[in-house]
């Protein structure tokens, strides 16, 4: 038995029959008549305008939910754009930092290639050291490197770069060493003019300019001459570039020339140096092919 009971006497919501058709016909005729009347009567325009003005606040109030939604969406989009902008700016900074590091690594690779290329003319074994610190005192031109006694560094060991002689080790500790540069005012390097073999001594004066104070006025030396180490005194190995003559002046009444030279080595550039192991020949090709035949920290070239 169904729980629902139907009332046969209930009045339907929409009545059916001829009356409904009559009502629909009258409504259609009334609407058509009003439309025809409105087209030909201009008095209704003012009434329509008045009604639209009266209903404008209602339309505006009814539109508030949509406006509020659009405003909220606008602020939400603005916040998202701010977050995205911050993220992009941070990513831009990170990429710039990585790019700068890549530039540094590229330049370091170029310097290392130049140093390894320069060892083709070195007949002794060499070791690469990294510069850890430099002295800014003009009267003490020194650097500290990350090689020490445990690496076989010793007092008096010569330092080179890809272009020439840098200096000499003066203090050794187990894990680092201190070297004096050839520009130090207490340093002198025995050299000879590569063009004619004229021997002299190059002295530092605490600046980027080297001096040759003991050459007679009639000496055969000129601007552009390359000075190489002569090996005299045993301080530096022979045959390495030391300086290039910049100016040669002879002042009237003076017995010696006034000569200025610039170091061949790039003393103010780079982060690596080569330590020459005098008396130790460069490994042969067979030794280079066998990693067990030579220490890993020794770099050499034929």
């Amino acid at each position: 038995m169904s729980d629902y009971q139907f009332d046969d006497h209930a009045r339907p919501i929409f009545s059916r029959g001829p009356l409904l058709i009559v009502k629909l016909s009258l409504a259609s005729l009334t609407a058509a008549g009003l439309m025809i009347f409105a087209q030909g009567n201009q008095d209704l325009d003012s009434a329509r305008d008045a009604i639209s003005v009266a209903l404008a606040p209602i339309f505006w109030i009814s539109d508030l939910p949509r406006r509020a939604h659009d405003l909220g969406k606008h602020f939400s989009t603005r916040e998202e754009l701010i977050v995205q902008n911050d993220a992009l700016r941070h990513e831009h900074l990170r990429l710039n930092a990585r790019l700068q590091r890549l530039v540094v690594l590229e330049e370091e690779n170029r310097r290392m290639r130049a140093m390894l290329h320069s060892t083709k003319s070195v007949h002794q074994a060499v070791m690469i050291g990294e510069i850890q610190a430099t002295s800014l005192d003009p009267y003490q031109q020194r650097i500290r490197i990350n090689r020490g006694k445990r690496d076989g560094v010793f007092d008096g060991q010569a330092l080179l770069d890809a272009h020439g002689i840098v200096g000499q080790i003066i203090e050794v500790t187990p894990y680092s060493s201190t070297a004096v540069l050839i520009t130090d005012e207490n340093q002198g390097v025995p050299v000879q003019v590569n063009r004619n073999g004229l021997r002299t001594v190059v002295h530092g004066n605490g600046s980027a300019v080297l001096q040759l104070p003991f050459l007679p006025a009639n000496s055969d030396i000129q601007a552009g001459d390359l000075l190489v180490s002569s090996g005299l005194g045993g301080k530096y190995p022979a045959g390495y570039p030391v300086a290039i003559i910049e100016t040669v002046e002879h002042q009237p009444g003076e017995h010696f020339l006034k000569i200025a030279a610039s170091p061949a080595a790039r003393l103010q550039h780079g982060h690596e140096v080569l330590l020459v192991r005098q008396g130790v020949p460069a490994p042969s090709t067979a030794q280079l092919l066998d990693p067990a035949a030579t220490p890993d920290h020794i770099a050499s070239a034929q």
Side-chain angles (χ1 to χ4, degrees):
M1 185 68 182
S2 173
D3 294 334
Y4 297 98
Q5 295 180 358
F6 298 95
D7 187 1
D8 296 336
H9 301 285
R11 185 177 180 180
I13 298 176
F14 300 101
S15 59
R16 299 180 177 84
L19 182 60
L20 179 61
I21 297 175
V22 172
K23 290 180 179 180
L24 179 60
S25 300
L26 290 176
S28 301
L29 292 174
T30 302
L34 290 175
M35 293 175 61
I36 295 171
F37 178 75
Q39 289 180 356
N41 193 345
Q42 297 180 351
D43 295 336
L44 291 179
D45 293 340
S46 58
R48 187 185 301 109
D49 294 341
I51 294 173
S52 65
V53 171
L55 295 179
I58 299 176
F59 293 151
W60 186 83
I61 293 173
S62 64
D63 196 45
L64 282 179
R66 185 189 64 80
R67 292 175 179 270
H69 178 268
D70 292 343
L71 185 61
K73 186 176 180 181
H74 168 75
F75 282 110
S76 175
T77 304
R78 182 175 181 273
E79 293 297 329
E80 292 177 358
L81 289 176
I82 291 175
V83 172
Q84 291 178 3
N85 185 55
D86 290 340
L88 290 174
R89 186 172 66 253
H90 295 163
E91 183 66 17
H92 178 69
L93 292 175
R94 285 193 294 268
L95 291 176
N96 274 348
R98 292 183 62 186
L99 178 61
Q100 294 174 15
R101 181 56 182 162
L102 290 175
V103 171
V104 172
L105 291 176
E106 182 180 3
E107 181 62 22
E108 181 178 342
N109 182 56
R110 186 193 63 78
R111 292 196 307 268
M112 294 295 292
R113 286 178 177 273
M115 291 183 64
L116 294 175
H117 178 74
S118 70
T119 60
K120 292 181 178 180
S121 60
V122 178
H123 298 286
Q124 294 89 11
V126 296
M127 177 170 52
I128 297 178
E130 183 176 341
I131 298 176
Q132 295 180 322
T134 60
S135 173
L136 300 178
D137 188 346
Y139 300 104
Q140 289 187 343
Q141 302 280 308
R142 299 181 180 182
I143 60 174
R144 187 174 71 246
I145 63 174
N146 65 338
R147 298 292 187 179
K149 291 181 180 178
R150 67 183 182 91
D151 301 300
V153 178
F154 53 89
D155 286 338
Q157 189 168 7
L159 273 66
L160 310 174
D161 70 358
H163 306 279
I165 290 180
V166 172
Q168 189 177 40
I169 297 294
I170 58 172
E171 182 180 348
V172 184
T173 63
Y175 296 98
S176 63
S177 303
T178 300
V180 61
L181 303 180
I182 59 175
T183 52
D184 188 274
E185 64 176 0
N186 296 318
Q187 282 294 299
V189 183
V191 297
Q192 65 183 23
V193 178
N194 193 53
R195 177 172 56 86
N196 55 20
L198 177 65
R199 290 192 298 269
T200 183
V201 178
V202 169
H203 288 270
N205 63 356
S207 69
V209 178
L210 301 174
Q211 297 177 342
L212 289 76
F214 305 122
L215 276 179
N218 60 350
S219 299
D220 182 12
I221 190 169
Q222 58 191 19
D225 278 343
L226 173 65
L227 304 179
V228 298
S229 55
S230 64
L232 298 178
K235 294 181 62 176
Y236 294 97
Y240 294 102
V242 176
I244 299 174
I245 300 297
E246 296 291 339
T247 59
V248 178
E249 298 180 6
H250 180 210
Q251 298 180 354
E254 295 291 337
H255 299 287
F256 297 98
L257 296 173
K258 184 179 180 181
I259 303 175
S262 59
R266 306 291 176 84
L267 302 180
Q268 305 298 326
H269 303 82
H271 299 282
E272 301 84 18
V273 292
L274 297 172
L275 292 89
V276 180
R277 304 187 68 192
Q278 299 186 56
V280 180
S284 64
T285 303
Q287 289 176 319
L288 291 175
L289 294 176
D290 182 7
T294 181
D296 291 340
H297 64 270
I298 297 297
S300 60
Q302 300 297 320

